[in-house]
Amino acid sequence: QLDFWLAPRSPGDPVDVRVPFPSLQPLKAHLEANGISYSVMIEDVQALVDHERTEMLRSRRQLPLSTNTFDYAAYHSLDEIYAFMDLLVAENPNLVSKLEIGRSTENRPLYVLKFSKGGTNRPAVWIDTGIHSREWVTQASGVWFAKKILLDHEKDEGLASILDKMDIFLEIVTNPDGFVFTQTQNRMWRKTRSRHSGSSCIGVDPNRNWDANFGGPGASRNPCSETYHGPYANSEPEVKAIVDFVNNHGNIKAFVSIHSYSQLLLYPYGYTRTPVPDQKELHQISEKAVAALSSLYGTNYKYGSIITTIYQASGGTIDWTYNQGIKYSFTFELRDTGRYGFLLPAKQIVPTAQETWLALKVIMLHARDHLY
Amino acid sequence: DIDDIGHKYHLELVLEDVLDKDSTVNCTAEVLYHLGNKNIAPDVQFTIEGELKNTDEADNVFYNQIKSLEKELVAENIPDSHGNVSPEMEPIHLLAWVASGYVIWQNSTENTKFQLAQIKHVKQVKRSDEYLEFDYMILLHEMVSQEIIPWQMTVLWHPQHGVQVTQDSRQPKHASE
């Protein structure tokens, strides 16, 4: 019953043998009685065989084995990101769940990850990435944030205290149709992929489609334009899904929408120069958040209201969320400032996500300490 | 505000070497945007305080590399979708960046902010003289409108004579998208 993996050759040469469980004791006794030294190379061969089989099955389907083997320093396809979400939930079902909040124009599911330590309808933070599909560092950062929350939810004091009181909702691929299009046809695609009658041009700018001075200056009524606002507010299912979610939830206290590039932290308004009533507070939070971000790698960010810092824009996400009463509404424009622009090298994904996370924590901690 | 002329901006800036972040040089500039006719490039006057780094060695290496190619250089998508630029293509990328600066200057107004987004295609053009010539198709990203604008430019370069854009023209956006 002994299975020799390195067969006996001549006296003095080593021998390797696989021993079935029932023979272990007798064999050890025999070796000891005869003064033959031995050492255990593999404790449990069956475990190795099982593990290898799982690996081989998965690698045939080209899926990562767990969120620990997922490559965060690379850009991934939609399928890979959706598979990652399922892995994340499977590994930590007590903390994370996946919600489908709607379907895109091309009928792709719109998924939101919910991180919660319990309670019912706790005050919440919303984070979205990838609303503009060509801004690839944002979806990639979203994936990293998801893993980070998982890693740190117990051992990081700040995050643990946030999750004690609040839930976090994270929509990683807010515009999946656009995202797939950037991978298959046009890397520079920004908008959704909807068709509206009367034009051969496709897509609506999802960050001009919200009901906040919809159609005003700072958006285009030309369907072929990159800032086309769409036929009416919330015409885009990707936008409507979030609007419905926010309204149904009713208890979102902080809302962060993430874009690239330019290295900016912005608060409302984009559609008017009139400052928001909470301008002073939002400005102070921004100052702190940007300082935290910079502290890691020295990345420089500017901050201010959308209209004074970047340009006038109507129908924007955080203008709507702010007017709904979500005081802590912010938009990020991540790395870089134009050298690579949308084509940010993959090796910058993790540093970008790491520094941005520090800023996000400042915002979330402030919300936790100033619930309203 | 300069009555009947346009808007003048006085700028104090720091130039930073893209390839060596610690190498900086101060610069002052005056930019005049002309009133009305948006087809005139802004006037630019500038003074650089100090000297720019000498790049003769790297210039000559690149020059000789291209000169010794058996076939004319052809490449596309620089950087690629994932932001990669191969080391051999880095000078081609930098050259496009410099040349696009000229195109951007010629087409800027107070309401535009252009960046080079990508080189879609570059083709070396054979020449009988000592200059290198490249025919580029680039994508410019205009920040305010968020448009991606294809632009063709013909670029001449020589280590001692610098960069020249001899021809450039805006291209129509791809109808299929």
PDB file of all heavy atoms in Angstrom, chain A residues 21-40:
ATOM      1  N   PHE A  21      -3.474   6.775   5.145  1.00  0.00           N
ATOM      2  CA  PHE A  21      -3.693   7.091   6.554  1.00  0.00           C
ATOM      3  C   PHE A  21      -3.590   5.891   7.512  1.00  0.00           C
ATOM      4  O   PHE A  21      -2.898   5.964   8.523  1.00  0.00           O
ATOM      5  CB  PHE A  21      -5.025   7.816   6.729  1.00  0.00           C
ATOM      6  CG  PHE A  21      -5.248   8.303   8.125  1.00  0.00           C
ATOM      7  CD1 PHE A  21      -4.543   9.398   8.625  1.00  0.00           C
ATOM      8  CD2 PHE A  21      -6.152   7.650   8.974  1.00  0.00           C
ATOM      9  CE1 PHE A  21      -4.745   9.842   9.930  1.00  0.00           C
ATOM     10  CE2 PHE A  21      -6.347   8.097  10.284  1.00  0.00           C
ATOM     11  CZ  PHE A  21      -5.641   9.197  10.760  1.00  0.00           C
ATOM     12  N   PRO A  22      -4.258   4.768   7.189  1.00  0.00           N
ATOM     13  CA  PRO A  22      -4.225   3.637   8.133  1.00  0.00           C
ATOM     14  C   PRO A  22      -2.811   3.079   8.346  1.00  0.00           C
ATOM     15  O   PRO A  22      -2.534   2.466   9.362  1.00  0.00           O
ATOM     16  CB  PRO A  22      -5.116   2.564   7.482  1.00  0.00           C
ATOM     17  CG  PRO A  22      -5.878   3.273   6.411  1.00  0.00           C
ATOM     18  CD  PRO A  22      -5.073   4.457   6.004  1.00  0.00           C
ATOM     19  N   SER A  23      -1.929   3.327   7.375  1.00  0.00           N
ATOM     20  CA  SER A  23      -0.584   2.754   7.476  1.00  0.00           C
ATOM     21  C   SER A  23       0.394   3.691   8.164  1.00  0.00           C
ATOM     22  O   SER A  23       1.557   3.315   8.398  1.00  0.00           O
ATOM     23  CB  SER A  23      -0.034   2.428   6.084  1.00  0.00           C
ATOM     24  OG  SER A  23      -0.932   1.612   5.375  1.00  0.00           O
ATOM     25  N   LEU A  24      -0.024   4.863   8.493  1.00  0.00           N
ATOM     26  CA  LEU A  24       0.893   5.865   9.054  1.00  0.00           C
ATOM     27  C   LEU A  24       1.566   5.392  10.324  1.00  0.00           C
ATOM     28  O   LEU A  24       2.791   5.391  10.437  1.00  0.00           O
ATOM     29  CB  LEU A  24       0.128   7.171   9.351  1.00  0.00           C
ATOM     30  CG  LEU A  24       0.312   8.344   8.386  1.00  0.00           C
ATOM     31  CD1 LEU A  24      -0.429   9.559   8.875  1.00  0.00           C
ATOM     32  CD2 LEU A  24       1.789   8.660   8.201  1.00  0.00           C
ATOM     33  N   GLN A  25       0.705   5.020  11.310  1.00  0.00           N
ATOM     34  CA  GLN A  25       1.259   4.612  12.604  1.00  0.00           C
ATOM     35  C   GLN A  25       2.193   3.405  12.491  1.00  0.00           C
ATOM     36  O   GLN A  25       3.325   3.443  12.964  1.00  0.00           O
ATOM     37  CB  GLN A  25       0.130   4.343  13.620  1.00  0.00           C
ATOM     38  CG  GLN A  25      -0.156   5.538  14.536  1.00  0.00           C
ATOM     39  CD  GLN A  25       1.108   6.182  15.081  1.00  0.00           C
ATOM     40  OE1 GLN A  25       1.460   7.275  14.657  1.00  0.00           O
ATOM     41  NE2 GLN A  25       1.807   5.492  15.962  1.00  0.00           N
ATOM     42  N   PRO A  26       1.712   2.365  11.868  1.00  0.00           N
ATOM     43  CA  PRO A  26       2.590   1.173  11.745  1.00  0.00           C
ATOM     44  C   PRO A  26       3.918   1.500  11.066  1.00  0.00           C
ATOM     45  O   PRO A  26       4.975   1.022  11.489  1.00  0.00           O
ATOM     46  CB  PRO A  26       1.764   0.202  10.886  1.00  0.00           C
ATOM     47  CG  PRO A  26       0.356   0.667  10.987  1.00  0.00           C
ATOM     48  CD  PRO A  26       0.381   2.124  11.320  1.00  0.00           C
ATOM     49  N   LEU A  27       3.868   2.345  10.005  1.00  0.00           N
ATOM     50  CA  LEU A  27       5.101   2.661   9.280  1.00  0.00           C
ATOM     51  C   LEU A  27       6.060   3.454  10.168  1.00  0.00           C
ATOM     52  O   LEU A  27       7.261   3.165  10.217  1.00  0.00           O
ATOM     53  CB  LEU A  27       4.791   3.459   8.005  1.00  0.00           C
ATOM     54  CG  LEU A  27       6.054   3.840   7.208  1.00  0.00           C
ATOM     55  CD1 LEU A  27       6.760   2.586   6.695  1.00  0.00           C
ATOM     56  CD2 LEU A  27       5.717   4.758   6.054  1.00  0.00           C
ATOM     57  N   LYS A  28       5.525   4.418  10.891  1.00  0.00           N
ATOM     58  CA  LYS A  28       6.376   5.229  11.770  1.00  0.00           C
ATOM     59  C   LYS A  28       7.039   4.338  12.817  1.00  0.00           C
ATOM     60  O   LYS A  28       8.244   4.451  13.072  1.00  0.00           O
ATOM     61  CB  LYS A  28       5.544   6.328  12.467  1.00  0.00           C
ATOM     62  CG  LYS A  28       5.233   7.513  11.593  1.00  0.00           C
ATOM     63  CD  LYS A  28       4.503   8.593  12.403  1.00  0.00           C
ATOM     64  CE  LYS A  28       4.185   9.791  11.540  1.00  0.00           C
ATOM     65  NZ  LYS A  28       3.435  10.825  12.296  1.00  0.00           N
ATOM     66  N   ALA A  29       6.235   3.450  13.381  1.00  0.00           N
ATOM     67  CA  ALA A  29       6.762   2.543  14.416  1.00  0.00           C
ATOM     68  C   ALA A  29       7.889   1.688  13.839  1.00  0.00           C
ATOM     69  O   ALA A  29       8.947   1.513  14.458  1.00  0.00           O
ATOM     70  CB  ALA A  29       5.636   1.677  14.961  1.00  0.00           C
ATOM     71  N   HIS A  30       7.675   1.205  12.633  1.00  0.00           N
ATOM     72  CA  HIS A  30       8.660   0.356  11.953  1.00  0.00           C
ATOM     73  C   HIS A  30       9.954   1.117  11.696  1.00  0.00           C
ATOM     74  O   HIS A  30      11.065   0.612  11.952  1.00  0.00           O
ATOM     75  CB  HIS A  30       8.055  -0.159  10.642  1.00  0.00           C
ATOM     76  CG  HIS A  30       8.990  -1.019   9.848  1.00  0.00           C
ATOM     77  ND1 HIS A  30       9.175  -2.357  10.109  1.00  0.00           N
ATOM     78  CD2 HIS A  30       9.793  -0.720   8.801  1.00  0.00           C
ATOM     79  CE1 HIS A  30      10.049  -2.857   9.250  1.00  0.00           C
ATOM     80  NE2 HIS A  30      10.456  -1.880   8.452  1.00  0.00           N
ATOM     81  N   LEU A  31       9.850   2.332  11.204  1.00  0.00           N
ATOM     82  CA  LEU A  31      11.040   3.133  10.901  1.00  0.00           C
ATOM     83  C   LEU A  31      11.814   3.454  12.172  1.00  0.00           C
ATOM     84  O   LEU A  31      13.040   3.349  12.216  1.00  0.00           O
ATOM     85  CB  LEU A  31      10.646   4.448  10.196  1.00  0.00           C
ATOM     86  CG  LEU A  31      10.048   4.322   8.791  1.00  0.00           C
ATOM     87  CD1 LEU A  31       9.553   5.680   8.282  1.00  0.00           C
ATOM     88  CD2 LEU A  31      11.063   3.729   7.821  1.00  0.00           C
ATOM     89  N   GLU A  32      11.066   3.804  13.231  1.00  0.00           N
ATOM     90  CA  GLU A  32      11.728   4.168  14.484  1.00  0.00           C
ATOM     91  C   GLU A  32      12.420   2.955  15.090  1.00  0.00           C
ATOM     92  O   GLU A  32      13.541   3.041  15.577  1.00  0.00           O
ATOM     93  CB  GLU A  32      10.712   4.776  15.478  1.00  0.00           C
ATOM     94  CG  GLU A  32      10.487   6.261  15.198  1.00  0.00           C
ATOM     95  CD  GLU A  32       9.155   6.776  15.715  1.00  0.00           C
ATOM     96  OE1 GLU A  32       8.550   6.122  16.599  1.00  0.00           O
ATOM     97  OE2 GLU A  32       8.702   7.832  15.220  1.00  0.00           O
ATOM     98  N   ALA A  33      11.722   1.820  15.020  1.00  0.00           N
ATOM     99  CA  ALA A  33      12.292   0.591  15.593  1.00  0.00           C
ATOM    100  C   ALA A  33      13.592   0.221  14.898  1.00  0.00           C
ATOM    101  O   ALA A  33      14.481  -0.396  15.487  1.00  0.00           O
ATOM    102  CB  ALA A  33      11.285  -0.546  15.492  1.00  0.00           C
ATOM    103  N   ASN A  34      13.711   0.625  13.612  1.00  0.00           N
ATOM    104  CA  ASN A  34      14.912   0.269  12.855  1.00  0.00           C
ATOM    105  C   ASN A  34      15.896   1.424  12.713  1.00  0.00           C
ATOM    106  O   ASN A  34      16.846   1.353  11.925  1.00  0.00           O
ATOM    107  CB  ASN A  34      14.517  -0.249  11.463  1.00  0.00           C
ATOM    108  CG  ASN A  34      13.908  -1.633  11.560  1.00  0.00           C
ATOM    109  OD1 ASN A  34      14.627  -2.641  11.587  1.00  0.00           O
ATOM    110  ND2 ASN A  34      12.585  -1.679  11.640  1.00  0.00           N
ATOM    111  N   GLY A  35      15.663   2.494  13.456  1.00  0.00           N
ATOM    112  CA  GLY A  35      16.610   3.613  13.443  1.00  0.00           C
ATOM    113  C   GLY A  35      16.678   4.334  12.115  1.00  0.00           C
ATOM    114  O   GLY A  35      17.704   4.894  11.749  1.00  0.00           O
ATOM    115  N   ILE A  36      15.585   4.316  11.350  1.00  0.00           N
ATOM    116  CA  ILE A  36      15.568   5.030  10.062  1.00  0.00           C
ATOM    117  C   ILE A  36      14.917   6.391  10.266  1.00  0.00           C
ATOM    118  O   ILE A  36      13.741   6.484  10.649  1.00  0.00           O
ATOM    119  CB  ILE A  36      14.787   4.218   9.003  1.00  0.00           C
ATOM    120  CG1 ILE A  36      15.444   2.844   8.815  1.00  0.00           C
ATOM    121  CG2 ILE A  36      14.732   4.988   7.679  1.00  0.00           C
ATOM    122  CD1 ILE A  36      14.650   1.906   7.930  1.00  0.00           C
ATOM    123  N   SER A  37      15.671   7.467   9.979  1.00  0.00           N
ATOM    124  CA  SER A  37      15.119   8.823  10.199  1.00  0.00           C
ATOM    125  C   SER A  37      14.195   9.199   9.053  1.00  0.00           C
ATOM    126  O   SER A  37      14.367   8.757   7.914  1.00  0.00           O
ATOM    127  CB  SER A  37      16.247   9.842  10.335  1.00  0.00           C
ATOM    128  OG  SER A  37      16.989   9.878   9.125  1.00  0.00           O
ATOM    129  N   TYR A  38      13.233  10.020   9.375  1.00  0.00           N
ATOM    130  CA  TYR A  38      12.261  10.466   8.364  1.00  0.00           C
ATOM    131  C   TYR A  38      11.773  11.872   8.705  1.00  0.00           C
ATOM    132  O   TYR A  38      11.919  12.324   9.842  1.00  0.00           O
ATOM    133  CB  TYR A  38      11.076   9.492   8.274  1.00  0.00           C
ATOM    134  CG  TYR A  38      10.218   9.467   9.526  1.00  0.00           C
ATOM    135  CD1 TYR A  38       9.139  10.348   9.687  1.00  0.00           C
ATOM    136  CD2 TYR A  38      10.494   8.574  10.570  1.00  0.00           C
ATOM    137  CE1 TYR A  38       8.355  10.333  10.835  1.00  0.00           C
ATOM    138  CE2 TYR A  38       9.729   8.554  11.708  1.00  0.00           C
ATOM    139  CZ  TYR A  38       8.656   9.431  11.842  1.00  0.00           C
ATOM    140  OH  TYR A  38       7.903   9.419  12.990  1.00  0.00           O
ATOM    141  N   SER A  39      11.196  12.529   7.689  1.00  0.00           N
ATOM    142  CA  SER A  39      10.536  13.821   7.927  1.00  0.00           C
ATOM    143  C   SER A  39       9.291  13.887   7.054  1.00  0.00           C
ATOM    144  O   SER A  39       9.225  13.248   5.998  1.00  0.00           O
ATOM    145  CB  SER A  39      11.484  14.989   7.621  1.00  0.00           C
ATOM    146  OG  SER A  39      11.857  14.957   6.258  1.00  0.00           O
ATOM    147  N   VAL A  40       8.327  14.666   7.519  1.00  0.00           N
ATOM    148  CA  VAL A  40       7.064  14.789   6.775  1.00  0.00           C
ATOM    149  C   VAL A  40       7.196  15.928   5.760  1.00  0.00           C
ATOM    150  O   VAL A  40       7.471  17.063   6.124  1.00  0.00           O
ATOM    151  CB  VAL A  40       5.886  15.082   7.737  1.00  0.00           C
ATOM    152  CG1 VAL A  40       4.612  15.335   6.949  1.00  0.00           C
ATOM    153  CG2 VAL A  40       5.703  13.934   8.718  1.00  0.00           C
TER     154      VAL A  40
END
